[in-house]
Amino acid sequence: MENFEFVSPTHFVFGRGAEEQVGEKLAAAGAKRVLVHFGGGSAVASGLIDRVGASLDAAGIEHLELGGVRPNPEITLVREGVRLCKEANVDWVLAVGGGSVIDSAKAIANGACVEGDVWELFETKALDHDVLPIAVVLTIPAAGSEASKNTVISNDELGRKTGYANNAQRPKFAFMNPELTFTLPPFQTAAGLTDMFCHLLERFFDDVGAVPVTDNLNLSLMNTIRAEAPRVLADPDNYDARANIMWAGMLCHQGLAGVGRHEDWATHGLEHELSALNPAITHGAGLAVMFPAWMEYVHTENPARFAFYGQAVFGLTPTGDVEADALSAIDETRAFFAMSRDGLIPQSVCKIHPRFATPHRITIIVGIAVAIISGFTPINVIAEMCSVGTLFAFIISSIGVMVMRRKYPDLPRPFRCPAIYVVGTLAIVSCGYIMYNLSSMTWERFWVWSALGILIYFLYGYRHSRENKEDAA
């Protein structure tokens, strides 16, 4: 274990209605005039900004507002916030939002206490100045900025995105109500889960050997995120799942999960350059692409560490080949990050039944749709379409089995069957021959239905991407 210093001054107010205590807590801390900083869109439309303002009013605290924070916050709005703080004699900065809003608020709180341009702090990393106290009402669990010493800001004019670390900018209060995250789009939720998971990976894989107390905390958080991710994506209104994710997100980047280690942060640095080049790239999505690639590049330095990670987090069984086990762990990580592709079906439709744990709504909808279509469609047409679908499924399954056998030669039966390549090839050839001899009418119907499915996929995907952009801040 390496030497370390750890500072954590944040007062956490966690649970339902936490944001209603903002005024009371800040007044007790001596706040007189507060800058309320937020993104826009959902924070305003949901009434959250009005509720926070009412809480401040009830406590007799003056406040002014500055909205418009974008994902990957930019220095121009920070400078505007610094100007407002200095002109209005602001003594607290209150961030209402996710990591982007909090990072922007931290930069403002620093800039309000220095003479020169706030960007100079990101260049010089100077620490010899005061920082306005910061409070947070968290709406997007991901960055862990609600308790961390870090902030990351973009400078579009210079084409740069860089961080600044200072324990003095750790928030004094963090108001965390899991219910505020119920309306997050699936993509935004998945990107946040990926970001917090990567905060742990950056700490777990460095040049220091085992640090059991830190490593076990790290692995426990990874397992919690893995367990809660499918729950929260399938049932966005699940309070317990949202609560676990929200608290885990804070712990992932507060610093405790890295004490005694050097930590790495190469991948975060690379992703910062990527989203500096294109601010539309969601940070978590960028990490989902880059982190498994980084793992593949460096794993040979300590394959046993990666293999151990795969066993502890993904439950992989050791094969005796450490290199193969390390690569399997990386594959599992990539597959886990692929959850960011989820969410193309409305989540209200996919809601899980609380008692039977089944997606009952989508089952009913599909059943009704099949009954209606069947009522107007000749039985021979239905049979033909089912045949096409079954043949495609056989072909895809056969290819998948053969690929898995080649990639993982030590898999148990049936993948280990010596004749699997012969059987798989025969299945593909047979299905292909049958499909080749289907009538042209069958193929016409197949392509019409396929085109309709593709059209619906892209239409919903377009709507989904617009929702993500509106709610990202």
Side-chain angles (χ1 to χ4, degrees):
M1 178 183 286
E2 299 297 300
N3 295 344
F4 65 89
E5 292 186 20
F6 177 66
V7 177
S8 184
T10 308
H11 178 149
F12 297 100
V13 181
F14 191 100
R16 294 179 174 90
E19 70 279 9
E20 296 171 7
Q21 299 185 47
V22 169
E24 174 190 344
K25 297 295 186 184
L26 265 60
K32 302 297 182 186
R33 186 170 294 133
V34 175
L35 174 67
V36 180
H37 197 37
F38 56 95
S42 59
V44 175
S46 67
L48 177 58
I49 298 300
D50 289 339
R51 296 201 305 276
V52 169
S55 179
L56 294 171
D57 288 337
I61 300 175
E62 296 180 30
H63 54 94
L64 56 157
E65 297 179 356
L66 177 62
V69 181
R70 73 178 198 191
N72 299 307
E74 210 270 331
I75 193 65
T76 303
L77 189 65
V78 170
R79 288 172 176 144
E80 174 65 13
V82 169
R83 183 188 65 79
L84 287 174
C85 286
K86 290 181 176 180
E87 289 181 356
N89 252 349
V90 165
D91 57 4
W92 276 74
V93 180
L94 173 62
V96 182
S100 295
V101 173
I102 301 168
D103 280 6
S104 185
K106 288 179 178 179
I108 291 170
N110 278 278
C113 298
V114 298
E115 291 298 326
D117 182 25
V118 62
W119 182 253
E120 292 179 9
L121 294 176
F122 291 84
E123 299 280 11
T124 65
K125 314 300 182 186
L127 301 173
D128 56 345
H129 62 277
D130 292 330
V131 179
L132 289 182
I134 303 158
V136 172
V137 175
L138 185 65
T139 63
I140 303 176
S145 292
E146 63 273 15
S148 77
K149 65 179 181 180
N150 303 295
T151 180
V152 180
I153 298 294
S154 296
N155 187 322
D156 290 353
E157 183 181 359
L158 301 179
R160 293 188 59 199
K161 178 180 178 180
T162 188
Y164 173 71
N166 186 349
N167 277 316
Q169 68 181 1
R170 287 183 186 265
K172 306 302 182 188
F173 288 98
F175 300 89
M176 304 170 69
N177 178 0
E179 291 178 328
L180 298 180
T181 69
F182 284 0
T183 57
L184 284 176
F187 177 81
Q188 197 69 28
T189 298
L193 290 162
T194 302
D195 189 16
M196 60 181 74
F197 199 88
C198 288
H199 289 158
L200 299 171
L201 295 178
E202 296 278 21
R203 293 174 163 94
F204 191 77
F205 294 110
D206 66 0
D207 58 347
V208 177
V211 183
V213 64
T214 300
D215 292 352
N216 287 329
L217 172 61
N218 205 314
L219 293 169
S220 177
L221 287 167
M222 289 183 191
N223 280 304
T224 297
I225 294 168
R226 279 201 65 240
E228 298 297 351
R231 289 180 66 200
V232 81
L233 287 169
D235 186 5
D237 295 343
N238 186 317
Y239 180 86
D240 287 337
R242 290 287 190 184
N244 281 318
I245 289 298
M246 179 173 265
W247 190 243
M250 184 281 297
L251 290 172
C252 288
H253 201 36
Q254 175 211 30
L256 197 60
V259 294
R261 309 199 65 87
H262 289 157
E263 307 182 6
D264 189 87
W265 301 104
T267 308
H268 266 73
L270 290 168
E271 199 291 322
H272 288 165
E273 297 302 318
L274 188 66
S275 48
L277 182 67
N278 182 1
I281 295 174
T282 301
H283 178 57
L287 290 172
V289 173
M290 301 182 78
F291 220 108
W294 175 86
M295 296 171 86
E296 287 180 341
Y297 183 74
V298 305
H299 80 278
T300 53
E301 295 295 323
N302 191 352
R305 181 78 170 171
F306 284 86
F308 170 68
Y309 153 76
Q311 295 156 26
V313 178
F314 297 102
L316 300 179
T317 302
T319 65
D321 184 339
V322 176
E323 170 73 10
D325 291 348
L327 291 174
S328 294
I330 296 168
D331 287 342
E332 290 291 338
T333 305
R334 182 178 281 111
F336 174 59
F337 289 164
M339 67 182 172
S340 61
R341 298 290 298 172
D342 289 352
L344 292 178
I345 299 176
Q347 294 298 296
S348 58
V349 172
C350 300
K351 193 172 181 68
I352 302 297
H353 193 283
R355 178 180 175 188
F356 301 108
T358 57
H360 58 294
R361 292 181 181 174
I362 190 65
T363 303
I364 293 171
I365 291 172
V366 169
I368 294 173
V370 169
I372 293 173
I373 293 172
S374 301
F376 293 95
T377 308
I379 191 67
N380 64 307
V381 174
I382 297 175
E384 288 176 356
M385 296 307 299
C386 289
S387 297
V388 175
T390 303
L391 292 168
F392 262 120
F394 269 121
I395 290 175
I396 293 170
S397 299
S398 299
I399 294 172
V401 168
M402 289 193 291
V403 168
M404 288 188 69
R405 171 62 190 276
R406 180 177 292 275
K407 193 169 184 179
Y408 305 108
D410 294 328
L411 284 173
R413 289 179 177 273
F415 303 101
R416 208 169 182 173
C417 174
I420 197 165
Y421 293 111
V422 176
V423 174
T425 302
L426 285 174
I428 293 171
V429 172
S430 300
C431 291
Y433 178 76
I434 296 172
M435 293 175 71
Y436 176 77
N437 286 284
L438 291 174
S439 68
S440 58
M441 182 67 73
T442 299
W443 279 108
E444 287 173 7
R445 291 167 180 152
F446 170 78
W447 291 120
V448 167
W449 280 102
S450 297
L452 180 61
I454 292 169
L455 177 62
I456 293 172
Y457 176 91
F458 281 109
L459 284 176
Y460 188 80
Y462 172 72
R463 173 191 159 197
H464 181 67
S465 65
R466 289 190 61 184
E467 290 176 351
N468 286 334
K469 290 177 181 177
E470 290 173 0
D471 290 340

